Amino acid sequence: MCGCGLFLRGAVAAQASRAAALTASRRRLRTSSRSPAFAKELFLGRIEKKGVFPFPEVSQDELNEINQFVGPVEKFFTEEVDSQKIDQEGKIPDDTLEKVKSLGLFGMQIPEEYGGLGLSNTMYARLGEIISMDGSISTTLAAHQAIGLKGIIMVGTEEQKAKYLPKLASGEHIAAFCLTEPGSGSDAASIQTRATLSDDGKHYILNGSKVWITNGGLANVFTVFAKTEVVDSDGSVKDKITAFIVERDFGGITNGKPEDKLGIRGSSTCEVHFENTRVPVENVLGEVGGGFKLALNILNSGRFSMGAFVAGMIKKLIELTAEYACTRKQFNRKLSEFGLIQEKFALMARKAYAMESMSYLTAGMLDHPEISDCSVEAAMVKVFSSESAWQCVSEALQSLGGAGYMKDYPERMLRDSRILLIFEGTNEILRMFIALTGLQHAGRILTARVKELKRGNVTVLMETVGQRLRDSLGQTVDMGLTGNLGLVHPSLEDSATKLEQNVYFFGRTVQDLLQRFGKTIVEEQLLMKRVANILINMYGMAAVLSRASRSIRIGLRNHDHEILLANTFCVEAYFQNVFSLAQLQKRAPENLDEHIKKVAQQILEKRAYICAHPLDRMS
């Protein structure tokens, strides 16, 4: 075991009493009443301030603890990890992997009683910033603990936890998450892998294939999802998905050849095949038939960390690119003096600031269980961060010019970052999840009002007309973010007012959409995309306003820079939202959805671009 690993484990032991106090405080938090989810309340035109304003804090003890971890981990990734070699050879060297294990990084979120570091979500995000320095290693670790073993922590029995978590924490065993199949990607409910109960009732016989499994070639322990027969409450037998803990030693498990990927090339990705694999009934994870819900909960819980991982990568990228821009000269001037280059750095900085703010805000919510379900917030962090990463890497490469097109930095980052838009739920699917979850929440609460409007209830109709008249006359919106008792610092007041206006008119628009479409809104994907985009922007606005306000009030260094970033982000997001809200109105001239659908239908009917060539002539 390397010296860094001994240091980290020693730090954990030294912090035992403090960790116990933190755990006790978290247990106390669980007994308090749960607050409404921030994102869902936005659909009602409300800002739920608890857990968001003020920005979440960590205790000084916890901050000291995480800072002891940061140094050794950063030193290892900076001095000992050869990312270029990992990318070229398509494999993480065994000695590098062993050092990762000795640092305790395979057990970051596994509780201390099972040999892990027992990090909170906030502390996990902080280490994630550093681990992101190598895409292959960060992917291997995320697949192991964010999804691979997460089900055992979430719903595993005490026996399952005691049996599997210690070796998973040390890295002696590596975990993988097996859900995707050749015919089942985003549509997880359509999987075909089947587990049949044996005649003696002691085992499930598992048969099927899984594809694109990260850690598939390394894993000793798999969380596998399969169809099983379940007797329903009415006595009928139905196929439902069940989760299983499957050991490679059970037999009947083979791997396909390693996939030759565009990026994260050092991570292990392959097909995993199960042929008559005998899984003891004791290895059912959670309830029989409860696997689909568990799979969604596992994926939902891990997405928040992508913001911190990506922010770490972008901050390193800014350093690399800024050095070049400040030394490279063209036309007798440094590149850094040109406005179009400056614009790129401003974009990268505000994207990094926003994703960092959103990620740590969500981590803070998750660390305080009195805050309600954070799955929508986590999905928003994933969508925003992955798309911002792709945009920022592209801008950095452009700033470097021809040098950026050469192999390695940042070319490797460009290839590594592209997968972020696809795995852990494609951004298209997540946008539908974000919008639909919020609309369902609003629908449950607004159903009675919408029904009365459809019936022509005069009182409700007059209230609605009056509300819209006040809107048209420029009604002042005040949700308590600004003013003498406001939660946002006065230097950010204009941006906070813009957020309040967006939230108010978003709530009004949601009510209108539910009245127009009802349950059929789920089929309006282009509309749902706009709803999701507005929500992501508003969450980003809230996160940067809360964070920047905290930085000003406690006097953090460069807080004036944070004010600039927060205000710039909010103004840009506000006007994007105003346009999107206009597009969501009935018969809006800004809305070209029908044109877009018609173009796509004509292309897809012919499966080709159908316009005549510009050089063609009529004979």
Side-chain angles (χ1 to χ4, degrees):
M1 183 176 289
C2 73
C4 292
L6 288 170
F7 176 81
L8 279 184
R9 295 189 185 281
V12 171
Q15 301 293 337
S17 60
R18 287 199 288 261
L22 286 167
T23 302
S25 68
R26 288 173 192 146
R27 287 196 188 105
R28 286 195 294 274
L29 285 168
R30 285 187 175 89
T31 64
S32 58
S33 59
R34 291 169 72 81
S35 302
F38 178 81
K40 290 179 181 178
E41 288 296 289
L42 293 176
F43 281 82
L44 297 169
R46 304 171 187 164
I47 296 178
E48 171 55 46
K49 301 174 186 67
K50 189 171 183 180
V52 178
F53 295 98
F55 199 76
E57 297 263 7
V58 296
S59 69
Q60 187 61 50
D61 284 344
E62 194 170 12
L63 188 61
N64 292 341
E65 186 178 355
I66 190 60
N67 285 339
Q68 290 186 73
F69 295 156
V70 165
V73 174
E74 192 163 35
K75 185 174 187 293
F76 166 69
F77 274 88
T78 302
E79 298 179 4
E80 299 187 52
V81 174
D82 188 342
S83 294
Q84 186 174 9
K85 179 181 177 182
I86 290 172
D87 181 67
Q88 289 174 347
E89 296 183 357
K91 184 180 183 297
I92 301 170
D94 291 341
D95 61 333
T96 300
L97 204 57
E98 287 304 313
K99 288 179 181 178
V100 173
K101 293 176 183 179
S102 69
L103 281 167
L105 298 180
F106 274 86
M108 284 186 282
Q109 285 201 292
I110 294 176
E112 289 180 79
E113 58 263 39
Y114 300 109
L117 298 180
L119 301 186
S120 66
N121 292 291
T122 300
M123 294 168 74
Y124 175 60
R126 180 66 185 95
L127 281 186
E129 289 187 55
I130 303 166
I131 294 164
S132 69
M133 291 169 66
D134 184 274
S136 296
I137 294 176
S138 62
T139 298
T140 300
L141 290 172
H144 169 75
Q145 56 202 327
I147 54 177
L149 61 81
K150 196 61 170 281
I152 301 175
I153 294 176
M154 291 173 72
V155 301
T157 64
E158 287 306 315
E159 291 77 12
Q160 289 170 343
K161 291 176 182 178
K163 180 177 181 181
Y164 291 107
L165 291 181
K167 289 185 178 180
L168 290 167
S170 68
E172 181 180 346
H173 284 173
I174 294 175
F177 182 82
C178 297
L179 178 62
T180 305
E181 297 185 0
S184 168
S186 297
D187 182 12
S190 66
I191 64 172
Q192 297 300 309
T193 297
R194 178 164 290 278
T196 306
L197 191 62
S198 62
D199 292 338
D200 61 9
K202 294 182 179 180
H203 294 82
Y204 280 91
I205 311 302
L206 184 64
N207 284 282
S209 295
K210 303 290 184 177
V211 297
W212 303 321
I213 304 304
T214 304
N215 293 349
L218 303 175
N220 315 88
V221 177
F222 304 86
T223 297
V224 183
F225 297 86
K227 289 278 182 70
T228 54
E229 289 187 349
V230 178
V231 179
D232 220 341
S233 55
D234 61 1
S236 61
V237 178
K238 294 183 179 178
D239 276 348
K240 291 189 177 182
I241 297 175
T242 300
F244 299 90
I245 304 171
V246 181
E247 299 177 30
R248 188 178 289 276
D249 290 343
F250 288 165
I253 302 175
T254 55
N255 300 332
K257 63 180 180 64
E259 300 288 357
D260 188 11
K261 303 187 295 294
L262 174 70
I264 54 170
R265 293 177 55 80
S267 62
S268 167
T269 307
C270 63
E271 295 182 5
V272 179
H273 308 286
F274 303 93
E275 186 176 355
N276 294 326
T277 301
R278 294 173 64 82
V279 183
V281 293
E282 295 81 10
N283 280 44
V284 169
L285 188 55
E287 297 179 359
V288 173
F292 182 71
K293 183 178 180 181
L294 176 60
L296 295 182
N297 288 340
I298 290 170
L299 291 168
N300 287 341
S301 70
R303 292 187 179 115
F304 81 93
S305 61
M306 187 176 289
F309 276 64
V310 172
M313 180 184 77
I314 298 303
K315 286 190 281 187
K316 289 291 182 184
L317 191 61
I318 289 173
E319 291 178 14
L320 168 80
T321 317
E323 178 65 28
Y324 182 85
C326 291
T327 54
R328 171 77 167 170
K329 283 190 175 182
Q330 292 289 283
F331 309 105
N332 293 319
R333 294 170 67 188
K334 294 175 182 177
L335 291 185
S336 58
E337 297 174 18
F338 292 98
L340 291 179
I341 298 298
Q342 293 169 353
E343 180 187 39
K344 296 180 189 303
F345 282 95
L347 181 144
M348 287 189 284
R350 71 176 177 271
K351 292 287 187 182
Y353 186 74
M355 70 177 74
E356 194 175 48
S357 303
M358 293 164 74
S359 185
Y360 280 100
L361 176 59
T362 308
M365 292 179 180
L366 290 166
D367 284 335
H368 293 79
E370 81 277 13
I371 307 297
S372 193
D373 168 41
C374 300
S375 59
V376 175
E377 287 83 354
M380 291 193 289
V381 173
K382 191 271 184 184
V383 172
F384 180 84
S385 301
S386 59
E387 293 179 0
S388 296
W390 182 242
Q391 185 180 9
C392 289
V393 174
S394 178
E395 293 288 11
L397 190 150
Q398 189 71 14
S399 299
L400 294 169
Y405 199 67
M406 299 300 106
K407 273 284 188 182
D408 203 35
Y409 241 7
E411 173 265 350
R412 187 181 70 253
M413 278 188 177
L414 187 77
R415 289 186 287 104
D416 285 351
S417 64
R418 188 58 186 83
I419 189 59
L420 301 177
L421 288 79
I422 299 171
F423 69 9
E424 291 196 32
T426 67
N427 285 6
E428 290 74 19
I429 288 292
L430 288 182
R431 277 190 167 89
M432 296 304 102
F433 167 74
I434 290 164
L436 186 58
T437 303
L439 288 167
Q440 286 174 334
H441 174 73
R444 282 190 291 270
I445 293 169
L446 298 174
T447 295
R449 183 177 182 85
V450 171
K451 283 181 179 178
E452 291 304 313
L453 281 171
K454 287 184 175 180
R455 287 174 184 161
N457 184 304
V458 177
T459 303
V460 176
L461 190 60
M462 290 303 293
E463 286 177 1
T464 303
V465 171
Q467 196 172 37
R468 290 185 177 177
L469 180 61
R470 290 191 295 274
D471 293 347
S472 67
L473 295 174
Q475 173 176 304
T476 301
V477 179
D478 184 1
M479 297 186 181
L481 294 184
T482 60
N484 293 334
L485 300 176
L487 296 166
V488 174
H489 192 270
S491 60
L492 300 159
E493 186 170 331
D494 184 60
S495 292
T497 299
K498 284 180 165 57
L499 171 60
E500 290 176 329
Q501 290 172 350
N502 275 172
V503 171
Y504 175 79
F505 287 106
F506 181 65
R508 300 288 298 113
T509 301
V510 165
Q511 186 174 327
D512 182 54
L513 292 174
L514 291 171
Q515 184 181 345
R516 282 163 54 195
F517 295 101
K519 292 181 180 179
T520 64
I521 199 167
V522 70
E523 301 298 329
E524 302 293 331
Q525 290 198 349
L526 299 183
L527 179 153
M528 300 257 284
K529 176 184 176 182
R530 290 190 188 93
V531 168
N533 287 345
I534 294 167
L535 197 75
I536 292 167
N537 273 343
M538 291 193 300
Y539 189 50
M541 292 168 79
V544 299
L545 288 171
S546 179
R547 176 185 173 187
S549 294
R550 170 187 176 270
S551 297
I552 300 163
R553 288 188 173 119
I554 67 173
L556 286 184
R557 61 183 175 84
N558 297 328
H559 60 253
D560 54 336
H561 185 69
E562 292 192 43
I563 296 170
L564 272 173
L565 291 174
N567 280 329
T568 305
F569 178 87
C570 287
V571 171
E572 183 180 57
Y574 169 78
F575 284 108
Q576 288 174 355
N577 287 346
V578 168
F579 183 68
S580 294
L581 286 166
Q583 289 180 305
L584 290 172
Q585 303 309 307
K586 193 173 185 178
R587 290 186 289 274
E590 300 92 341
N591 189 315
L592 300 174
D593 288 357
E594 293 308 313
H595 295 267
I596 291 167
K597 290 177 185 178
K598 193 170 184 179
V599 169
Q601 286 166 359
Q602 291 174 354
I603 291 170
L604 294 170
E605 281 175 8
K606 301 293 185 180
R607 300 189 182 186
Y609 174 74
I610 63 175
C611 296
H613 193 277
L615 300 183
D616 284 356
R617 296 181 55 160
M618 294 295 292
S619 57

